[in-house]
């Protein structure tokens, strides 16, 4: 398993979309300095195309064991 963390450092309105275990989509809109922690291996996650010229995020991924490719 893996734990992923995304911290928004730029304050852009660019929500992270996570597919929950029941198949529903959860949109996580973060303000500058906020973070979300999620299981990035088991939960499908994505963002739409960025409409701004740039965005800055801090990403941290922790894997207890080797994750499947």
């Amino acid at each position: 398993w893996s734990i992923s963390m995304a911290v928004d450092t730029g304050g852009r309105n660019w929500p992270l979309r996570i597919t929950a275990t029941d198949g529903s989509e959860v949109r996580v809109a973060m303000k500058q300095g906020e973070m979300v922690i999620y299981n990035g291996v088991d939960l499908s996650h994505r963002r739409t195309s960025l409409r701004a010229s740039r965005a800055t995020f801090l990403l941290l991924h922790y894997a207890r064991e080797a994750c499947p490719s």
Side-chain angles (χ1 to χ4, degrees):
W1 54 266
S2 165
I3 296 173
S4 299
M5 178 180 73
V7 180
D8 184 348
T9 62
R12 300 275 183 209
N13 182 12
W14 194 31
L16 178 64
R17 297 166 187 252
I18 301 173
T19 303
T21 56
D22 66 0
S24 64
E25 182 177 88
V26 178
R27 293 180 67 199
V28 183
M30 293 176 281
K31 295 178 184 170
Q32 187 171 358
E34 293 183 334
M35 73 174 149
V36 60
I37 298 175
Y38 58 97
N39 186 331
V41 170
D42 293 333
L43 299 176
S44 174
H45 54 283
R46 66 206 159 280
R47 293 183 190 270
T48 58
S49 298
L50 179 63
R51 295 179 189 221
S53 60
R54 67 180 189 182
T56 304
F57 285 84
L58 170 66
L59 302 173
L60 172 68
H61 305 284
Y62 169 79
R64 183 173 174 182
E65 299 175 6
C67 296
S69 301

